[in-house]
Amino acid sequence: VMGIAFGIVTALQQITSLKAMEKGSWAYTTVIISLSTLITALSGTLFWNEKITWSQIVGILLMIGCLVLSVNYKSEQKKASFQWLVYCLIAFVCTGLIGVMQKWHQSSDFRSELNAFLVIAFAVSFVYSAASWGHFRRKRGEKKSGAAAARLGLTLALLVGGGACIAINNKVNLYLSGVMDSAVFFPIVNGGGLVLTTLFAVILFRERLNPRQWVGLTFGILSVVFLCNPFQ
């Protein structure tokens, strides 16, 4: 049952993350999704008797500041910004749930069933994604042509490559979540990926942010650091 739930949440997380990147800034999208550390922190308090520290409270306040400063309030872009924020928040929740499920599974008596858990999860995720892809292709009414075949080939290559990376990532993270302390594991996963993605967004994809958004981005990065509670 947890494998099925994990597969659905993983598929939904990937879809909403991609839609958020389509609608808005890649750097900002990554920051907000990385704030899902808040969910893992609260789950530790609710399920594993972990206390919320002062640094995590500071992280929550910084997270609120990041969300307020991140949205573009210009009237002509209000609709796109709202859609982007909705996709970001759904991906934020799903990413947090993925971390909670990983910790839950590896804290249970069934932690040795790691491979079976992931096979079930990815089978469900594949069926969900394939059905969605087929539906939207029919809805767009794509016609068979050389260009369409080339796009299909590129899409399949990205699917295979992306799927392999996600599978390896989940296998490693699922194992590490059960053998490493949360104070060490989550800062590396969330903080390291956040910094690398932000650098790629600014340097490789030439994203331009106004001063207000730079302040919000800084708040978001600091929020992830404080939520991971590195001072304990």
Side-chain angles (χ1 to χ4, degrees), residues 20-38:
M21 291 177 186
E22 177 189 5
K23 297 291 183 180
S25 165
W26 188 25
Y28 249 118
T29 298
T30 305
V31 168
I32 292 179
I33 293 175
S34 296
L35 295 177
S36 61
T37 305
L38 173 63

Side-chain angles (χ1 to χ4, degrees), residues 13-36 66-67 70 81 83-89 91-92 95 194 197-198 201 207 209 217 224:
Q13 190 271 348
Q14 292 298 312
I15 292 171
T16 51
S17 295
L18 290 172
K19 292 297 293 185
M21 291 177 186
E22 177 189 5
K23 297 291 183 180
S25 165
W26 188 25
Y28 249 118
T29 298
T30 305
V31 168
I32 292 179
I33 293 175
S34 296
L35 295 177
S36 61
C66 170
L67 292 175
S70 65
S81 295
Q83 290 177 342
W84 166 76
L85 185 60
V86 169
Y87 284 126
C88 281
L89 292 178
F92 160 87
T95 304
L194 174 60
T197 305
T198 302
E207 289 195 353
L209 304 175
L217 186 64
V224 174

Side-chain angles (χ1 to χ4, degrees), residues 63-174:
M63 179 190 71
I64 294 172
C66 170
L67 292 175
V68 171
L69 293 170
S70 65
V71 180
N72 191 336
Y73 290 102
K74 292 182 180 179
S75 58
E76 67 272 14
Q77 296 181 354
K78 187 175 294 184
K79 182 177 180 181
S81 295
F82 178 75
Q83 290 177 342
W84 166 76
L85 185 60
V86 169
Y87 284 126
C88 281
L89 292 178
I90 295 174
F92 160 87
V93 172
C94 290
T95 304
L97 289 177
I98 287 172
V100 172
M101 289 181 184
Q102 289 174 335
K103 186 74 174 178
W104 197 349
H105 183 272
Q106 288 300 291
S107 300
S108 71
D109 295 334
F110 308 102
R111 57 183 174 273
S112 62
E113 300 175 1
L114 186 150
N115 290 325
F117 171 77
L118 289 178
V119 167
I120 294 171
F122 277 92
V124 172
S125 183
F126 171 78
V127 171
Y128 178 87
S129 300
S132 299
W133 184 30
H135 170 73
F136 286 113
R137 286 194 71 200
R138 287 194 300 272
K139 188 175 181 180
R140 287 196 300 264
E142 293 186 358
K143 297 180 179 179
K144 294 182 179 180
S145 65
R151 285 197 301 271
L152 178 60
L154 176 60
T155 300
L156 289 174
L158 291 173
L159 277 171
V160 173
C165 291
I166 294 169
I168 294 171
N169 176 68
N170 276 277
K171 175 69 180 288
V172 174
N173 284 352
L174 187 61

Side-chain angles (χ1 to χ4, degrees), residues 39-76:
I39 297 177
T40 58
L42 293 176
S43 70
T45 302
L46 294 173
F47 303 116
W48 292 286
N49 298 319
E50 298 175 358
K51 295 181 179 179
I52 295 181
T53 65
W54 66 267
S55 68
Q56 290 171 326
I57 295 175
V58 172
I60 293 172
L61 296 176
L62 288 170
M63 179 190 71
I64 294 172
C66 170
L67 292 175
V68 171
L69 293 170
S70 65
V71 180
N72 191 336
Y73 290 102
K74 292 182 180 179
S75 58
E76 67 272 14

